[in-house]
Amino acid sequence: MVVRERPTLEAVARRAGVSRATVSRVVNGSTTVAVAIRDAVNQAVEELGYVPNQAARSLVTQRTESIALILPETASRVFSDDLFFPAVIRGVSAELEAADKQLVLMMAGSAASHDRVERYAMAGHVDGVMFASMHGADPLPGSLARLGIPVVCSGRPMSPPVTPIPYVDVDHFGGVAQAVQHLLGTGHRRIATIAGPQDMVAGIDRLSGYRAALDAAGLATHIAIGDFTRESGVRAMDQLLANDPALDAVFVASDMMAHGALQALKDAGRRVPEDVAVIGFDDFEISRYSDPPLTTVRQPIVDMGRTMARQMLGLVNDEPDVPQAVVLPTELVVRSSA
Amino acid sequence: MVVRERPTLEAVARRAGVSRATVSRVVNGSTTVAVAIRDAVNQAVEELGYVPNQAARSLVTQRTESIALILPETASRVFSDDLFFPAVIRGVSAELEAADKQLVLMMAGSAASHDRVERYAMAGHVDGVMFASMHGADPLPGSLARLGIPVVCSGRPMSPPVTPIPYVDVDHFGGVAQAVQHLLGTGHRRIATIAGPQDMVAGIDRLSGYRAALDAAGLATHIAIGDFTRESGVRAMDQLLANDPALDAVFVASDMMAHGALQALKDAGRRVPEDVAVIGFDDFEISRYSDPPLTTVRQPIVDMGRTMARQMLGLVNDEPDVPQAVVLPTELVVRSSA
DNA sequence: ATGAAAGCGCTAACAG
DNA sequence: CTGTTAGCGCTTTCAT
């Protein structure tokens, strides 16, 4: 393998018979360069196959043109059959692509990787950092923000940090309220819930919404906790059934868990929706094809990604009107499971 | 937001009352530093919250400690319900994580993004580049390799490039042969195939394997081409049925397409496997739960990712014995669809 | 064992 | 419009 020395600005300048500064101007598209010289430089660039060294450039500009998306989850979780992460990534990716920024995707599901990611961001590898799927009160967003690194979160940060951080979230309460109303309206009275993990805002808020709605209706709550995975949905449903065999409806805080619940109900010999009505949360494509098709609260995940990316682009471009918080609407989609 | 100046080596040196060189030694774990001084430096680092500037470091070391995985596909394809990409990424991610290298995932599904990715890699942003899901005879791997950048591909490069590039692939032929043998052994004689895209090695090799196997058995071929998506599987199956309503088996070059074919067969009123036997290729988890469960050729996708990453780590570490080509075995997994 | 000094390749004033 | 010059923050000889 012939390892040609990478040509430098210097080399191009010599070949074109100009100064380094002029080459730099041409390469960066400055308009104040004579056409003849510009052509000569471009030709030299072409002939030498010159590509600017990003490290050198970043060192002086303090810019990298790339932006990180940090997911505090393991890679096997992010790249599983859960369609939440892909949807966020698609949204982020679309906006960044349009802005010609490079997306750097980072999983931080272990203490070690969390550390590595922290060093990576602090080392100035990226111009900004986006977070999704946050657990607990992760200090990292705040730390980075305090260092002057632009940070945006998807999902309201759990403990309002010292340094306020822009975020995008969906209307969990509104969605849950619609779901419970629907169940109430169709005559259900023993309404249980399979909640999401209680170290995540999405898990907490949806459970609060459920509690509030049942309280308002003067009904007793039946709660089991899952972690948004299908398997946890199965387990939670089994548990709910064991505790109250007569329950007639269940609001599940994610579609994945709802699919698990559907399976558990089938295995327990319950018909859906005749014996037990089921409502999920997400509205993934596959939920239209489950058996029976899932009634669910639609949340615009791709839009969350897009919105978060736009906030980020606003920050790195020093735009003045970057919204501090945007809350996207949710909407009940009725299919035959409830 | 208080934007503290990022502390530099210089600042740490001043605070610890030593030279920059010494701080650098401590930060990089050199053993030749007196304990007292080392402690003083570490304390200064701690107090100042010093993190080395990666651009400056890369500029002199010519190293970034991060490695790219380039997928010449759109983000919506990579992050869809197709489980191939996630599996590759999981494998790569696991190995890189263990080696404490940062994975930079890049989609290059459009001409513009392909360009951007090329510049990114050439600009020395990463120490090496891995490719997966390559289409046609992409010149990029060769170009990068010629620049001296370590490159590894998953999937044998289509046209043997001038610069040979290490790769990992699976035994497409062996897998297909087993599938067709199984069909033959269970009495099937009108065996069709839904092939993958013919600009990809996986698509080409599996079709060649099918042709070879049917030729050897003296049977006629029935071919429809898909693009590995579920929808293309539906369309291809419809077409196959239209061309030969009496076919009794179909070998499908991917599980996703096989799921589409299953659906198309059901819609056409055919029973599987009684009327038409179906065999897929991949062995995704969900294929165990399809209706009926899918007989399929298992290929070790996660292992491909791992292997590719190990080859890459070997290259960047100048290890002498990096295998030029590794071919992983495939294996027929019999379930009730055939 | 530690420090001084020379760059790595590039951009950005500042002159001219 | 173009060239000169001075760094960006770090590592790494080479002396001491």
Side-chain angles (χ1 to χ4, degrees):
Chain A
M1 182 154 60
V2 183
V3 180
R4 269 195 310 225
E5 282 299 296
R6 222 55 100 65
T8 69
L9 249 203
E10 179 69 46
V12 177
R14 262 201 313 270
R15 178 158 196 129
V18 297
S19 73
R20 270 157 43 205
T22 299
V23 177
S24 176
R25 289 190 188 99
V26 173
V27 168
N28 291 291
S30 164
T31 50
T32 67
V33 178
V35 180
I37 292 198
R38 190 181 50 200
D39 291 347
V41 170
N42 279 328
Q43 192 186 332
V45 164
E46 196 69 23
E47 290 169 357
L48 261 31
Y50 170 73
V51 179
N53 177 314
Q54 183 58 44
R57 183 177 267 179
S58 292
L59 185 55
V60 36
T61 59
Q62 309 279 29
R63 282 283 209 148
T64 66
E65 305 302 327
S66 48
I67 288 172
L69 170 60
I70 298 184
L71 302 169
E73 304 279 357
T74 61
S76 26
R77 182 76 202 285
V78 174
F79 299 103
S80 67
D81 56 356
D82 189 331
L83 297 166
F84 177 82
F85 301 103
V88 173
I89 296 171
R90 281 209 305 279
V92 165
S93 187
E95 289 296 322
L96 256 35
E97 172 101 38
D100 204 39
K101 302 282 185 197
Q102 179 56 46
L103 168 62
V104 178
L105 192 59
M106 313 184 78
M107 278 67 76
S110 66
S113 56
H114 194 276
D115 273 13
R116 188 156 40 76
V117 156
E118 173 168 5
R119 288 198 317 268
Y120 190 90
M122 302 238 220
H125 247 303
V126 290
D127 296 338
V129 178
M130 302 156 63
F131 285 86
S133 191
M134 297 209 302
H135 292 261
D138 194 325
L140 189 47
S143 311
L144 296 179
R146 233 160 291 124
L147 256 83
I149 300 173
V151 176
V152 182
C153 294
S154 101
R156 176 169 53 78
M158 281 204 32
S159 54
V162 205
T163 314
I165 292 171
Y167 70 87
V168 53
D169 207 341
V170 302
D171 180 13
H172 301 287
F173 282 87
V176 179
Q178 285 184 59
V180 174
Q181 280 315 314
H182 179 78
L183 258 12
L184 256 16
T186 45
H188 300 275
R189 287 299 175 271
R190 297 178 88 102
I191 305 173
T193 192
I194 298 178
Q198 294 300 298
D199 66 340
M200 300 184 73
V201 170
I204 295 169
D205 282 9
R206 290 174 204 166
L207 178 53
S208 306
Y210 162 85
R211 282 206 162 98
L214 286 227
D215 278 4
L219 295 174
T221 60
H222 303 72
I223 301 171
I225 309 279
D227 63 5
F228 284 151
T229 64
R230 186 196 316 263
E231 301 71 47
S232 76
V234 174
R235 281 194 303 272
M237 192 68 243
D238 286 344
Q239 183 189 324
L240 248 19
L241 247 20
N243 292 348
D244 179 8
L247 60 83
D248 60 12
V250 53
F251 163 70
V252 191
S254 84
D255 275 14
M256 285 303 285
M257 293 197 298
H259 290 307
L262 247 23
Q263 185 184 319
L265 285 167
K266 181 184 292 184
D267 292 349
R270 303 294 210 284
R271 293 166 307 163
V272 176
E274 295 82 354
D275 301 331
V276 180
V278 176
I279 297 186
F281 200 112
D282 277 328
D283 191 29
F284 291 140
E285 170 83 6
I286 49 161
S287 300
R288 298 164 52 177
Y289 305 115
S290 57
D291 180 28
L294 193 64
T295 290
T296 185
V297 177
R298 170 178 300 162
Q299 63 168 339
I301 307 176
V302 175
D303 275 354
M304 277 185 57
R306 300 193 89 106
T307 305
M308 177 165 62
R310 272 197 296 263
Q311 287 174 290
M312 175 52 70
L313 290 169
L315 289 183
V316 303
N317 294 331
D318 277 321
E319 286 166 17
D321 51 349
V322 179
Q324 181 62 27
V326 5
V327 177
L328 270 17
T330 51
E331 162 199 15
L332 185 70
V333 179
V334 179
R335 302 204 185 90
S336 53
S337 77
Chain B
M1 182 155 59
V2 183
V3 180
R4 268 195 311 225
E5 282 298 298
R6 243 15 126 68
T8 69
L9 250 202
E10 178 69 45
V12 177
R14 261 199 316 268
R15 179 162 195 125
V18 298
S19 72
R20 271 157 42 206
T22 299
V23 177
S24 177
R25 290 191 187 99
V26 173
V27 169
N28 292 291
S30 164
T31 50
T32 67
V33 177
V35 180
I37 292 198
R38 190 180 51 201
D39 291 347
V41 170
N42 280 330
Q43 192 187 332
V45 165
E46 197 68 24
E47 291 170 358
L48 262 32
Y50 170 73
V51 178
N53 177 314
Q54 183 59 43
R57 183 177 265 179
S58 291
L59 185 55
V60 33
T61 59
Q62 310 279 28
R63 281 283 205 149
T64 67
E65 305 301 327
S66 49
I67 288 173
L69 170 59
I70 297 184
L71 302 170
E73 304 279 357
T74 61
S76 25
R77 182 74 201 285
V78 173
F79 298 103
S80 66
D81 55 354
D82 189 332
L83 296 166
F84 177 82
F85 301 102
V88 173
I89 296 171
R90 280 208 307 279
V92 165
S93 186
E95 289 297 322
L96 256 34
E97 171 102 39
D100 203 39
K101 301 282 185 197
Q102 179 56 46
L103 168 62
V104 179
L105 192 58
M106 314 185 78
M107 279 67 77
S110 65
S113 56
H114 194 276
D115 272 13
R116 187 156 42 76
V117 156
E118 174 167 4
R119 289 198 315 270
Y120 190 89
M122 302 238 224
H125 246 302
V126 291
D127 296 339
V129 177
M130 303 158 60
F131 285 86
S133 193
M134 298 210 301
H135 292 260
D138 194 325
L140 189 48
S143 311
L144 296 179
R146 233 160 289 124
L147 253 77
I149 300 173
V151 175
V152 183
C153 294
S154 100
R156 176 170 52 79
M158 281 203 35
S159 54
V162 205
T163 314
I165 292 171
Y167 70 88
V168 53
D169 207 342
V170 301
D171 180 13
H172 301 287
F173 282 87
V176 179
Q178 284 183 62
V180 174
Q181 280 314 314
H182 179 78
L183 259 11
L184 255 17
T186 44
H188 301 275
R189 286 301 174 270
R190 297 178 88 102
I191 304 173
T193 192
I194 298 178
Q198 293 301 297
D199 67 339
M200 300 185 74
V201 170
I204 295 169
D205 282 10
R206 290 174 204 167
L207 177 53
S208 306
Y210 162 85
R211 282 206 161 98
L214 287 227
D215 279 3
L219 295 175
T221 59
H222 303 72
I223 301 171
I225 309 279
D227 63 6
F228 284 151
T229 64
R230 187 196 314 262
E231 300 72 47
S232 76
V234 174
R235 280 194 302 273
M237 192 68 242
D238 286 344
Q239 182 189 326
L240 248 20
L241 248 20
N243 293 348
D244 179 8
L247 61 83
D248 60 11
V250 53
F251 163 69
V252 191
S254 84
D255 275 14
M256 285 303 285
M257 294 196 298
H259 289 306
L262 247 24
Q263 185 184 319
L265 285 166
K266 181 184 292 184
D267 292 349
R270 302 293 210 285
R271 290 166 309 164
V272 177
E274 295 82 355
D275 301 330
V276 180
V278 176
I279 297 185
F281 200 111
D282 276 328
D283 191 27
F284 291 140
E285 170 83 6
I286 49 161
S287 300
R288 298 165 51 178
Y289 304 115
S290 57
D291 180 28
L294 194 65
T295 289
T296 185
V297 178
R298 171 178 299 161
Q299 63 169 340
I301 307 176
V302 175
D303 274 355
M304 278 186 57
R306 298 192 91 106
T307 306
M308 176 164 64
R310 271 197 298 263
Q311 286 173 293
M312 173 53 69
L313 290 169
L315 289 182
V316 301
N317 294 332
D318 278 322
E319 286 165 19
D321 51 349
V322 178
Q324 181 62 27
V326 5
V327 177
L328 270 16
T330 51
E331 162 200 13
L332 185 70
V333 179
V334 179
R335 301 204 184 91
S336 53
S337 76

